[in-house]
Amino acid sequence: RGWKEGKRVAVKVQYPGVSDSIESDLSNLTMLVKATGLAPPGLFLENVIRVGREELKVECDYRREVENQKRFRSLISSDAGLVADRFRVPEVIEDLCTDKILVTEYVHGGTIDKVVDLDASERNRIGRAILRLTMLELFVWRFMQTDPNWGNFLYDVRTRTTYLIDFGAAREYDEEFVRGYLNIVVANANKDEETLMKESVRMGFLTGEENGVMMEAHKMSGFCLGEPFQSYEPYDFKASRITSRISEHG
């Protein structure tokens, strides 16, 4: 935290050398996993490491994160529904940002999971807004914050405002990808195994060479994920245990 012209700011500083250590750290991790046999059968470790390497390098690019945050701030402030639900992105103090330092407006709030202690109407309002935000990101804007952990949503109980932070993992998707992903969502909702597997291979989520255990886990976790989209009726996320059930399928 700090101050600029009387305004309180949040300062994010990249740990020295972290971007340079990605290659060596991932190489060591690969050797360790292979030597100990920790990877589950059927996991294509090289692909996992490759994607991890790409994502980590992107998250170390603070100039890119500045542009991502400015773009999200514009998108959210332009949506009347999200504005009404008091969703905000802090302003970037661009003249203080560098390749290794990110400075933004300082906002108050605790991690979003703390709303569990609020009344049901407020929890439902926040939940609906987050789900709507997710659908907008993926299917309308085609620009998504792909690391939506609790710490990236800050809730200010005094103003009932939800702040979105940390856009290092935000990425853009082309129309073909979004169309294919929507096909997978529909296939999951309809429990259409043939379409699910066909689209998953076509889009690169599967190679088609996975063993039976991996294919079954992919199918069953997908079918769980499709449950909220099976009807227009309200879905009880708590009673469904959807998160833990997906985890059970690996």
Side-chain angles (χ1 to χ4, degrees):
R1 291 180 292 183
W3 298 85
K4 175 179 167 53
E5 299 174 354
K7 179 187 293 187
R8 201 173 189 183
V9 297
V11 183
K12 178 179 176 182
V13 180
Q14 190 173 122
Y15 192 83
V18 66
S19 59
D20 299 326
S21 67
I22 291 174
E23 288 292 342
S24 60
D25 288 350
L26 288 178
S27 295
N28 291 336
L29 176 62
T30 302
M31 288 190 293
L32 177 63
V33 171
K34 287 181 176 180
T36 58
L38 290 173
L43 177 69
F44 289 82
L45 181 61
E46 290 76 13
N47 287 342
V48 173
I49 295 297
R50 175 182 56 78
V51 172
R53 179 182 295 110
E54 293 171 357
E55 294 297 330
L56 287 171
K57 286 183 176 180
V58 164
E59 291 210 40
C60 287
D61 185 350
Y62 282 11
R63 293 290 188 187
R64 181 178 180 277
E65 184 170 352
V66 164
E67 295 306 314
N68 289 344
Q69 184 154 338
K70 288 166 55 182
R71 184 173 176 183
F72 257 102
R73 178 176 166 83
S74 175
L75 288 168
I76 288 174
S77 64
S78 300
D79 184 89
L82 292 173
V83 171
D85 274 315
R86 296 183 292 280
F87 271 54
R88 281 196 59 219
V89 174
E91 179 185 4
V92 176
I93 314 300
E94 196 165 0
D95 62 316
L96 296 181
C97 296
T98 71
D99 294 343
K100 307 295 183 183
I101 298 173
L102 177 64
V103 183
T104 72
E105 162 194 7
Y106 181 84
V107 297
H108 294 275
T111 54
I112 196 73
D113 55 317
K114 301 300 190 297
V115 304
V116 69
D117 297 321
L118 301 179
D119 60 84
S121 63
E122 180 67 357
R123 296 199 310 269
N124 288 339
R125 180 188 71 80
I126 296 167
R128 281 193 297 267
I130 289 176
L131 283 174
R132 182 169 177 273
L133 171 63
T134 302
M135 297 299 106
L136 284 171
E137 288 184 18
L138 187 52
F139 297 115
V140 180
W141 303 338
R142 303 202 310 271
F143 184 58
M144 194 169 199
Q145 195 331 13
T146 63
D147 182 25
N149 64 71
W150 297 130
N152 291 343
F153 294 82
L154 302 181
Y155 180 79
D156 186 346
V157 68
R158 302 168 305 168
T159 62
R160 299 197 168 192
T161 300
T162 302
Y163 295 99
L164 280 65
I165 63 172
D166 195 349
F167 296 94
R171 61 179 299 175
E172 190 166 16
Y173 296 96
D174 60 38
E175 191 171 349
E176 181 180 358
F177 175 90
V178 170
R179 189 182 303 114
Y181 194 84
L182 181 58
N183 290 339
I184 289 177
V185 172
V186 173
N188 283 327
N190 295 331
K191 295 190 174 181
D192 179 354
E193 180 177 354
E194 181 180 356
T195 301
L196 168 61
M197 294 305 183
K198 179 181 177 181
E199 285 292 310
S200 295
V201 171
R202 186 184 70 81
M203 295 187 66
F205 293 130
L206 296 174
T207 65
E209 300 176 4
E210 288 81 1
N211 62 31
V213 173
M214 294 289 287
M215 296 289 273
E216 182 68 13
H218 182 77
K219 179 186 76 174
M220 295 309 298
S221 60
F223 285 177
C224 284
L225 194 62
E227 288 178 4
F229 303 99
Q230 289 175 351
S231 77
Y232 289 100
E233 298 301 315
Y235 184 79
D236 192 331
F237 282 88
K238 181 178 180 181
S240 73
R241 295 180 49 254
I242 187 171
T243 303
S244 58
R245 285 166 51 219
I246 291 175
S247 297
E248 288 168 5
H249 293 299

